[in-house]
Amino acid sequence: MKKATSMKRSGASEGNSPARHIDARIKELSDWRGETLARIRSIIKQAVPDVVEEWKWRGVPVWEHEGIICTGETYKAVVKMTFARGAALDDPSGLFNSSLEGNTRRAIDIHEGDKINEKALKALIREAAALNASARTATRARKKAKSA
């Protein structure tokens, strides 16, 4: 069996797909944190239907679309969505409430009983995916210009 730190889609052939790991984590939590993780997973998939699920860093669900969109970490008192490039995103609804001091990441801490602003969260997720895509396009253009 592969280590969780290096598990990619290749683990799917062994029955250890990232989606199965995320399903197992949700079931294992069996409380508000599992319900919240399942809900944010659903929102992410609605916002970016072709999102890729990964399982990294010894057990962290990660959602990617041409780069990391966000992670879904679970702790005793919070479910944390960390956006890899969150500092570069507009957040007019003020969803980011954690990791605000960093230059790159931003996070949303969801506590038991918190309501999720689904419309604003979907917009933020779509914006993160679009930012990844534009960064990827710019990188390809630079590489092409250098080789010309």
Side-chain angles (χ1 to χ4, degrees):
M1 185 169 153
K2 291 184 175 190
K3 291 182 181 178
T5 55
S6 64
M7 189 172 297
K8 292 282 190 180
R9 278 182 269 169
S10 61
S13 63
E14 299 170 20
N16 294 322
S17 74
R20 286 185 186 212
H21 282 287
I22 296 169
D23 290 341
R25 171 65 49 86
I26 289 167
K27 186 176 179 181
E28 159 193 313
L29 291 168
S30 72
D31 61 10
W32 70 271
R33 296 171 302 160
E35 292 169 11
T36 301
L37 186 60
R39 187 71 201 125
I40 63 172
R41 181 190 202 189
S42 173
I43 291 167
I44 292 166
K45 288 180 172 186
Q46 290 171 36
V48 182
D50 58 342
V51 71
V52 175
E53 293 186 317
E54 296 290 353
W55 185 255
K56 297 184 179 186
W57 309 299
R58 296 187 181 135
V60 176
V62 178
W63 290 275
E64 298 183 357
H65 187 272
E66 297 195 49
I68 295 174
I69 294 174
C70 66
T71 63
E73 303 139 90
T74 53
Y75 301 97
K76 187 175 182 177
V78 69
V79 174
K80 180 183 287 286
M81 290 181 72
T82 301
F83 285 73
R85 301 178 69 202
L89 302 175
D90 289 328
D91 181 22
S93 298
L95 296 178
F96 290 129
N97 60 9
S98 183
S99 304
L100 301 175
E101 64 287 340
N103 293 329
T104 306
R105 294 186 311 257
R106 293 286 183 273
I108 301 169
D109 285 354
I110 304 168
H111 298 88
E112 186 173 10
D114 284 355
K115 298 278 186 203
I116 298 173
N117 181 339
E118 291 187 26
K119 183 178 178 182
L121 185 55
K122 284 179 188 177
L124 195 63
I125 292 163
R126 287 183 187 118
E127 185 183 353
L131 179 63
N132 286 349
S134 67
R136 182 84 55 166
T137 300
T139 300
R140 286 184 195 130
R142 281 194 303 275
K143 286 181 180 179
K144 188 175 182 179
K146 283 183 180 181
S147 65

